[in-house]
Amino acid sequence: PARGAAELEGGGPIAAGRQVDSFHVVRWLGRGGMGEVYLARDTKLGRKVALKLLPSEFARDPYRMLLFEREARTAATINHPNVSIIYEYGEVEGHYFIAMEYVEGVTLADMLASGNALPLETTVDLATQMAAGLAAAHEVGVLHLDVKPSNCLLVNGVLKIADFGSSSCADRRYSDGVRPETFAGPERGTPAYMSPEACRPHGLDERADIFSLGVTLYEMLTRTRPFEGETSHEVLRKILLHEPRDPRKISTGIPRDLSTICLKAMEKKPDDRYATMKEFADDLRAFIEGRETKARPKNWMRKCIQRAQRVSVPIKTLGVSLTAAVALIFLFQLLQPSPPLAEEGQHMQNRSEEH
């Protein structure tokens, strides 16, 4: 149905003051991965909540409905101080909702956009908190698949990961019959933070989140994204084909070990990244504590091999072209007319007289 002016009051489809089940809508907060988010008051327990509502057009899409339900189910299984808590999931008057912990703070994206420099210790601490929260999600088989600064909430130095709207089950056993591959590609996740394998319809595991956290750490360190472009297609192409610049070449003062940790998390091949999010978190803690880290800088030979692999198709094309050129030269020489027999005989006679 068409939305009236009253329904759009506050920036979203539900007006301030509207009652949704036991939740009294206070004001619109923003848009999440799978719906509009509001500040609301739980009239039963007298607490503030973040109320996410699935748009009516999404409610008619069975796939989006399954994702919305999955977000509630999967996020509710995670119990960790760095993950936003799910209180309730339900439906009333055609509105499907998720009631979540309301964090009265700012997003990491807001903090980065403010222009205020983050101390190195704070940057590493926040990245470690993100890794710890995601590791807890992975331990119960949940992938986030949309890790980025705007999905990280900060209050009093504590980071909370929110918006599991793109999440899926890591073990790929789905009671709802929907696999992550169904939603892979630019429509799932945010292009600038997506892993190379998430850009294609392949199976995903926790290393996709490791890549996205590496991109987020890179942005925190340098205030720039490693892969940028004017269009989503251009960004995805760079993710697939281009190596990120060493953060130390963009921002001075970044320790080599921290830069190496960041770049390892963003390796193109999942097998070259950290095997688990816990391993990533452990390396960040090792850096904080001044211990030896597992990440090692690439040597020149490895860099050359990786570059050759990325341009394997052009190299093969060049090889075919060179082979064809050699064959043409040989054929040209073969077809050249032989010198006349008389001239050849005279040449041999002259050589005999010389001796």
Side-chain angles (χ1 to χ4, degrees):
R3 296 172 183 167
E7 291 180 302
L8 293 172
E9 181 181 285
I14 297 297
R18 177 76 178 270
Q19 192 76 15
V20 178
D21 197 50
S22 61
F23 304 100
H24 182 80
V25 175
V26 177
R27 61 184 173 88
W28 181 74
L29 294 175
R31 180 181 292 274
M34 287 296 297
E36 306 283 348
V37 183
Y38 302 84
L39 171 63
R41 184 171 55 85
D42 186 339
T43 56
K44 288 181 180 178
L45 299 177
R47 62 185 173 187
K48 294 179 180 179
V49 300
L51 190 68
K52 178 182 285 190
L53 294 173
L54 185 69
S56 57
E57 60 269 24
F58 287 6
R60 292 189 291 269
D61 184 331
Y63 289 115
R64 291 188 184 274
M65 277 299 304
L66 285 172
L67 279 181
F68 193 71
E69 293 174 10
R70 180 184 291 169
E71 175 181 5
R73 293 197 310 269
T74 57
T77 64
I78 308 167
N79 182 17
H80 193 274
N82 295 120
V83 176
S84 181
I85 300 170
I86 298 292
Y87 295 137
E88 188 178 341
Y89 164 75
E91 179 268 334
V92 59
E93 297 179 6
H95 292 291
Y96 291 84
F97 66 88
I98 297 175
M100 304 172 288
E101 175 185 12
Y102 174 64
V103 180
E104 295 191 72
V106 298
T107 67
L108 179 57
D110 292 334
M111 182 175 287
L112 294 175
S114 70
N116 297 326
L118 280 177
L120 189 65
E121 295 79 6
T122 302
T123 296
V124 181
D125 175 61
L126 293 177
T128 304
Q129 291 188 56
M130 276 187 271
L134 290 167
H138 294 169
E139 285 175 6
V140 295
V142 178
L143 310 180
H144 191 287
L145 300 182
D146 196 19
V147 178
K148 58 184 178 180
S150 60
N151 282 338
C152 298
L153 305 169
L154 302 170
V155 57
N156 299 326
V158 177
L159 182 141
K160 296 272 188 178
I161 302 168
D163 203 348
F164 279 76
S166 296
S167 63
S168 69
C169 303
D171 64 3
R172 291 190 291 177
R173 294 192 295 270
Y174 310 109
S175 59
D176 55 30
V178 181
R179 298 171 63 87
E181 291 88 345
T182 307
F183 300 96
E187 293 184 358
R188 183 177 191 168
T190 305
Y193 302 90
M194 288 171 65
S195 66
E197 62 271 26
C199 299
R200 298 162 171 165
H202 299 311
L204 305 175
D205 59 30
E206 63 189 279
R207 293 171 296 182
D209 281 347
I210 290 172
F211 184 95
S212 300
L213 179 51
V215 174
T216 301
L217 175 57
Y218 189 104
E219 186 174 356
M220 292 168 68
L221 290 170
T222 66
R223 296 304 178 95
T224 63
R225 294 174 182 171
F227 310 104
E228 294 188 300
E230 294 183 359
T231 64
S232 295
H233 178 78
E234 185 178 351
V235 172
L236 297 178
R237 184 180 64 82
K238 288 184 177 180
I239 289 173
L240 292 169
L241 300 176
H242 291 203
E243 287 292 334
R245 290 183 64 194
D246 188 323
R248 295 179 300 157
K249 294 182 179 179
I250 301 173
S251 180
T252 59
I254 299 175
R256 182 181 183 183
D257 283 351
L258 183 56
S259 175
T260 303
I261 289 171
C262 181
L263 293 174
K264 179 176 178 62
M266 291 192 295
E267 287 283 3
K268 301 296 185 192
K269 293 184 177 180
D271 288 344
D272 292 335
R273 297 174 210 151
Y274 291 101
T276 65
M277 188 64 77
K278 182 179 181 302
E279 189 177 304
F280 189 2
D282 289 344
D283 233 12
L284 288 168
R285 291 191 187 97
F287 172 80
I288 293 173
E289 296 167 4
R291 295 183 283 111
E292 184 178 3
T293 59
K294 291 184 178 180
R296 291 289 178 270
K298 295 180 186 177
N299 56 42
W300 67 270
M301 182 174 293
R302 186 179 172 198
K303 290 181 180 179
C304 290
I305 292 173
Q306 289 182 332
R307 287 173 183 170
Q309 289 173 338
R310 287 198 302 277
V311 296
S312 59
V313 173
I315 287 177
K316 289 177 182 177
T317 304
L318 178 61
V320 171
S321 300
L322 288 174
T323 302
V326 170
L328 287 173
I329 293 172
F330 177 77
L331 182 63
F332 177 79
Q333 292 180 339
L334 188 65
L335 295 177
Q336 288 297 308
S338 300
L341 292 177
E343 293 181 4
E344 182 67 21
Q346 183 63 41
H347 179 66
M348 294 179 64
Q349 180 179 355
N350 292 339
R351 291 184 63 184
S352 299
E353 291 175 354
E354 289 176 359
H355 289 82

